[in-house]
């Protein structure tokens, strides 16, 4: 019997001996097989490797342990917490990091902020002896339910991803969750430029759930007015007067009512920049146009070149301001000032055109009278031997009577000698408006004299009215 058992053992050793030799000659065959399985899994799952195939990866092992701790695979996180019951409350906390830009042309603003969400999901509760929370990055965020908050009226937005995605998820043992992201968003701000650049703009950033109405999700400010915090923000063209949170409801006809949160802020524009770039140059151009009133009216090249230069400079200023503003259909405060100043400059050019015209007309009239007087005087001497000079201006005082009158005196002048003399008095008759205008026209140099007073007074009065209304 012992002999039979010994024979059987020898047969078993003889059968196992070739297999042992093969394993000793190819020790890496099993390792190559594992590598083949890993590469096959990469190809099959498009780069995603099953965690069971990489048990030696400590990071993956830690993530597997976290998922096991939070029982990620045991629940359907496509559904909100407490589905079928009351609306889940989601608290919001915002810290504004900066306001990057404000564009009047596009009517929008760009803001960088930290957006924090607070809610409770009992499905993620886990046992903890020390009651400490667990903090995760963006990898676990994709596997759980989170609020779908979006920015209403936003044009562009993105989550910062340098050096990794700026996402933080903190889970507490009782299921309370803090979800924080760092976002830059560009949103619409409906601006009113009727008082530009002496204006104040009210802008707001609005937050709302995209899919869940008020029956499923209730958005609220976590700490009331203290939920909105800001760092020290300095802007180049604006003062930030106020940051204030508020809330309300938004109605959509097809889906119902939604909770909406508002981040309201008031911007007051710096006026000093526009004083240097727009108002002071405009004032100087208007004052420069008045210099022509002191230039001789016969210096045509000097006065014309000065008037054209000021007009073209005002046109350039108006064009530059309009290019940096949106094409609105109403009049802005800066438009009123610029176009009124342009009108003053234009009127100074028109004033010289009138002065030059009336001066030319007056000189032509005098030249014509001079020719006629020379012709009449020569004819009169031919008849009565007396020379009649019509260019001599007689005094308004009545002449003294003289018995030895000149025979060359006309009968009209001889009758005036019978009037009683009046010593030291001059009679003035009040002119009508038409006579005053004719007097100014016939004495065109007085137009410049009156313009030296009228133009500065009118512009000064305009400035008083303008700044009292808009400042």
């Amino acid at each position: 019997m012992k002999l039979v058992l010994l024979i059987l053992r020898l047969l078993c050793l003889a059968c196992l001996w070739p297999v042992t030799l093969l394993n000793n000659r190819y020790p890496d065959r099993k390792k190559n097989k594992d590598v083949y399985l890993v590469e096959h899994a990469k190809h099959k799952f498009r780069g995603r490797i099953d965690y069971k195939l990489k048990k030696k990866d400590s990071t993956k092992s830690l993530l597997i342990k976290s998922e096991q701790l939070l029982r990620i695979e045991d629940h359907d996180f496509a559904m909100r917490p407490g589905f079928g019951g009351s609306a889940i409350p989601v608290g919001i906390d915002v810290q504004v990091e900066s306001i990057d830009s404000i564009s009047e042309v596009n009517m929008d603003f760009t803001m960088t902020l930290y957006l924090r969400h607070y809610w409770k999901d009992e499905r993620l509760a886990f046992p903890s002896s020390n009651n400490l929370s667990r903090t995760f990055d963006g990898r676990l965020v994709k596997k759980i339910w989170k609020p779908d908050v979006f920015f209403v009226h936003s044009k562009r937005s993105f989550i910062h991803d340098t050096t990794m995605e700026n996402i933080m998820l903190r889970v507490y043992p009782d299921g309370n969750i803090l979800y924080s992201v760092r976002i830059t968003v560009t949103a619409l701000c409906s601006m009113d430029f009727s008082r530009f650049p002496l204006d104040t703009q009210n802008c707001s950033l609005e937050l709302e759930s995209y899919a869940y109405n008020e029956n499923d999700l209730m958005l609220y400010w976590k700490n009331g007015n203290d939920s909105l915090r800001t760092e020290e923000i300095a802007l180049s063209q604006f003062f930030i007067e106020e940051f204030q949170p508020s809330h309300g409801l938004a109605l959509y006809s097809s889906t119902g009512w939604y909770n909406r949160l508002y981040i309201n802020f008031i911007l007051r524009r710096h006026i000093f920049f526009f004083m240097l770039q727009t108002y002071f140059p405009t004032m100087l151009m208007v004052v420069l146009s008045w210099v022509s009133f002191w230039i001789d009216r016969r210096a045509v090249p000097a006065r014309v070149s000065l008037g054209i230069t000021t007009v073209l400079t005002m046109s350039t200023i108006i064009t530059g301001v309009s290019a940096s503003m949106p094409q609105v259909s109403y009049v802005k405060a800066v438009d009123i000032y610029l176009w009124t100043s342009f009108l003053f400059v234009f009127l100074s050019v028109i004033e010289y055109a009138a002065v030059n015209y009336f001066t030319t007309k007056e000189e032509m009239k005098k030249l014509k009278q001079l020719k006629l007087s020379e012709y009449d005087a020569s004819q009169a001497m031919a008849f009565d031997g007396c020379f009649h000079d019509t260019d001599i201006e007689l005094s308004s005082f009545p002449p003294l009577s003289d018995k030895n009158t000149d025979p060359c005196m006309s009968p009209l002048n001889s009758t005036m000698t019978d009037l009683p003399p009046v010593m030291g008095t001059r009679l003035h008759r009040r002119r009508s408006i038409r006579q005053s205008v004719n007097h100014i026209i016939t004495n065109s140099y007085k137009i410049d004299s009156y313009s030296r007073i009228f133009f500065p007074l009118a512009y000064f009065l305009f400035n008083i009215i303008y700044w009292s209304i808009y400042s």
Side-chain angles (χ1 to χ4, degrees):
M1 188 65 182
K2 292 182 177 180
L3 184 61
V4 174
L5 292 175
L6 182 61
I7 294 172
L8 291 176
R9 288 179 179 177
L10 292 174
L11 291 174
C12 289
L13 290 174
C15 293
L16 295 175
W17 182 66
V19 177
T20 305
L21 289 177
L22 288 174
N23 289 334
N24 292 331
R25 292 183 61 186
Y26 303 97
D28 296 330
R29 179 173 293 179
K30 187 175 183 295
K31 181 179 179 181
N32 293 336
K33 183 178 179 180
D34 292 337
V35 173
Y36 170 77
L37 290 174
V38 171
E39 296 297 327
H40 179 68
K42 282 185 178 180
H43 177 72
K44 183 176 180 180
F45 298 100
R46 298 182 180 179
R48 294 176 296 174
I49 304 175
D50 193 354
Y51 296 119
K52 295 180 180 180
L53 299 177
K54 297 188 68 177
K55 294 182 180 179
K56 294 183 180 181
D57 191 339
S58 60
T59 305
K60 299 300 181 181
S61 300
L62 181 61
L63 187 59
I64 292 173
K65 291 179 181 178
S66 299
E67 293 181 1
Q68 291 175 352
L69 177 66
L70 300 176
R71 303 189 304 276
I72 300 295
E73 301 296 335
D74 297 342
H75 303 283
D76 182 11
F77 284 97
M79 310 298 292
R80 70 172 180 85
F83 178 76
S86 59
I88 175 175
V90 176
I92 298 294
D93 187 329
V94 173
Q95 180 175 348
V96 179
E97 181 181 359
S98 64
I99 297 179
D100 304 322
S101 64
I102 298 173
S103 174
E104 291 88 357
V105 177
N106 299 322
M107 287 194 180
D108 58 24
F109 64 91
T110 301
M111 178 186 292
T112 300
L113 52 89
Y114 298 93
L115 179 61
R116 304 183 181 97
H117 311 70
Y118 302 85
W119 76 95
K120 186 174 184 179
D121 192 346
E122 296 180 353
R123 297 172 295 184
L124 296 177
F126 61 91
S128 177
S129 59
N130 51 13
N131 199 29
L132 295 178
S133 62
R134 296 289 184 95
T135 302
F136 307 95
D137 56 17
R139 291 176 294 176
L140 189 64
V141 171
K142 300 175 182 179
K143 298 185 177 183
I144 67 171
W145 181 91
K146 56 185 178 297
D148 58 342
V149 176
F150 78 104
F151 297 99
V152 186
H153 306 309
S154 66
K155 297 181 178 180
R156 295 174 299 276
S157 61
F158 63 91
I159 298 176
H160 291 259
D161 55 359
T162 305
T163 58
M164 291 185 62
E165 280 189 319
N166 297 170
I167 298 176
M168 186 266 288
L169 179 69
R170 181 172 295 169
V171 182
Y172 293 87
D174 58 353
N176 284 311
I177 298 173
L178 166 60
Y179 171 56
S180 176
V181 292
R182 182 169 175 255
I183 302 176
T184 294
V185 57
T186 300
L188 176 68
C189 179
S190 298
M191 301 181 182
D192 181 16
F193 297 108
S194 59
R195 299 177 66 89
F196 177 87
L198 305 165
D199 56 334
T200 300
Q201 302 296 339
N202 297 320
C203 298
S204 64
L205 185 63
E206 304 173 8
L207 294 84
E208 183 182 305
S209 173
Y210 189 83
Y212 299 100
N213 58 22
E214 64 172 351
N215 297 323
D216 293 321
L217 190 145
M218 182 183 68
L219 280 179
Y220 69 97
W221 289 111
K222 175 68 175 178
N223 300 311
N225 291 335
D226 295 333
S227 300
L228 180 60
R229 294 185 291 273
T230 60
E231 299 179 358
E232 186 176 354
I233 301 174
L235 300 177
S236 59
Q237 290 192 25
F238 292 92
F239 290 109
I240 301 178
E241 291 190 342
E242 184 181 3
F243 261 107
Q244 184 177 4
S246 62
H247 61 88
L249 291 174
L251 175 62
Y252 296 90
S253 59
S254 57
T255 54
W257 292 90
Y258 290 78
N259 293 113
R260 181 176 292 183
L261 303 181
Y262 301 88
I263 302 174
N264 303 310
F265 54 97
I266 300 176
L267 303 172
R268 183 166 58 88
R269 196 181 305 273
H270 291 285
I271 186 59
F272 189 70
F273 171 79
F274 295 94
M275 292 295 295
L276 292 178
Q277 297 294 323
T278 304
Y279 285 98
F280 285 159
T282 302
M283 293 177 185
L284 291 178
M285 287 301 105
V286 174
V287 174
L288 184 61
S289 67
W290 300 340
V291 176
S292 64
F293 302 150
W294 279 267
I295 299 177
D296 186 73
R297 54 180 174 167
R298 287 178 290 272
V300 177
R303 296 190 66 164
V304 170
S305 60
L306 180 61
I308 296 301
T309 300
T310 53
V311 168
L312 293 178
T313 305
M314 284 299 305
S315 300
T316 304
I317 295 174
I318 293 174
T319 303
V321 173
S322 300
S324 61
M325 292 297 298
Q327 306 299 320
V328 294
S329 59
Y330 49 85
V331 179
K332 302 180 289 293
V334 68
D335 294 335
I336 295 176
Y337 194 89
L338 290 178
W339 283 103
T340 304
S341 300
F342 182 83
L343 180 62
F344 273 91
V345 173
F346 182 76
L347 287 179
S348 67
V349 178
I350 298 300
E351 184 269 348
Y352 177 64
V355 169
N356 183 267
Y357 172 76
F358 292 129
T359 301
T360 304
K361 188 176 180 181
E362 182 181 354
E363 291 178 351
M364 293 296 294
K365 184 177 179 181
K366 288 184 176 180
L367 183 61
K368 185 178 180 180
Q369 289 178 352
L370 181 60
K371 291 180 179 180
L372 289 176
S373 62
E374 291 178 354
Y375 176 77
D376 292 340
S378 61
Q379 293 294 326
M381 290 182 64
F383 286 102
D384 56 6
C386 297
F387 180 78
H388 299 270
D389 190 358
T390 57
D391 293 335
I392 298 177
E393 294 182 0
L394 300 177
S395 175
S396 57
F397 289 92
L400 296 176
S401 59
D402 190 359
K403 293 182 180 179
N404 298 322
T405 58
D406 191 350
C408 295
M409 295 290 292
S410 63
L412 179 60
N413 290 333
S414 62
T415 58
M416 292 179 62
T417 58
D418 298 336
L419 296 174
V422 180
M423 301 300 296
T425 60
R426 189 185 295 268
L427 296 179
H428 294 277
R429 187 175 63 180
R430 187 175 183 181
R431 297 192 185 100
S432 64
I433 297 177
R434 184 176 181 181
Q435 290 176 338
S436 300
V437 171
N438 291 331
H439 177 72
I440 294 175
I441 291 175
T442 54
N443 300 275
S444 57
Y445 67 93
K446 292 187 177 181
I447 299 179
D448 281 340
S449 301
Y450 293 145
S451 297
R452 296 170 191 172
I453 300 173
F454 172 76
F455 274 77
L457 286 179
Y459 194 68
F460 181 72
L461 180 62
F462 162 72
N463 275 273
I464 292 177
I465 296 173
Y466 179 87
W467 294 107
S468 62
I469 292 176
Y470 289 103
S471 62

